Amino acid sequence: QVQLVESGGGLVQPGGSLRLSCAASGSIFRINAMGWYRQAPGKQRELVATITSGGITNYRDSVKGRFTISRDNAKNTVYLQMNSLKLEDTAVYYCNADLKVWGFPARGYWGQGTQVTVSS
């Protein structure tokens, strides 16, 4: 059994900052890439940022220079530091991890989502 537990969402004014965390737990053999996705009301889920086990990062263009993804491999945790938040960043943010559980092939797992609301 694997769980991804997110935290850190909330309400923030435009220009503000939030830091999201996502901790993976369970019978984990190896975690490959981890990432953050978001889904705004009436829109499809979209990739925000990913990070490989070696620390290589990738961002969607609209968050480059504002968001920073990082991970602590010892804690099986991925973070998303969000600065200079804009109204259009409002969404439910989901953590994703491509990981291998003992005895099973690697596949993607999702967290439950955390709401980020940017509003004045």
Side-chain angles (χ1 to χ4, degrees):
Q1 191 77 4
V2 172
Q3 277 192 316
L4 299 182
V5 179
E6 297 133 337
S7 60
L11 174 65
V12 64
Q13 291 186 338
S17 298
L18 283 175
R19 189 190 193 212
L20 306 182
S21 299
C22 172
S25 62
S27 301
I28 298 170
F29 175 73
R30 181 184 68 246
I31 301 179
N32 301 316
M34 302 184 82
W36 290 94
Y37 292 70
R38 67 187 182 188
Q39 187 167 18
K43 295 188 176 181
Q44 290 189 331
R45 191 172 298 189
E46 61 185 22
L47 182 148
V48 176
T50 60
I51 184 168
T52 67
S53 58
I56 298 172
T57 58
N58 179 57
Y59 299 90
R60 71 178 301 104
D61 287 346
S62 62
V63 307
K64 286 180 180 178
R66 300 189 297 122
F67 291 10
T68 302
I69 189 171
S70 61
R71 65 191 282 176
D72 184 333
N73 291 331
K75 296 181 179 180
N76 290 340
T77 300
V78 63
Y79 306 96
L80 186 67
Q81 178 66 44
M82 304 185 293
N83 299 328
S84 302
L85 282 160
K86 303 177 179 180
L87 297 176
E88 53 264 39
D89 294 319
T90 295
V92 177
Y93 283 70
Y94 295 91
C95 171
N96 177 274
D98 179 73
L99 61 86
K100 177 174 172 54
V101 175
W102 289 94
F104 294 89
R107 70 171 181 88
Y109 290 81
W110 291 94
Q112 80 285 357
T114 185
Q115 177 70 47
V116 172
T117 302
V118 184
S119 175
S120 56

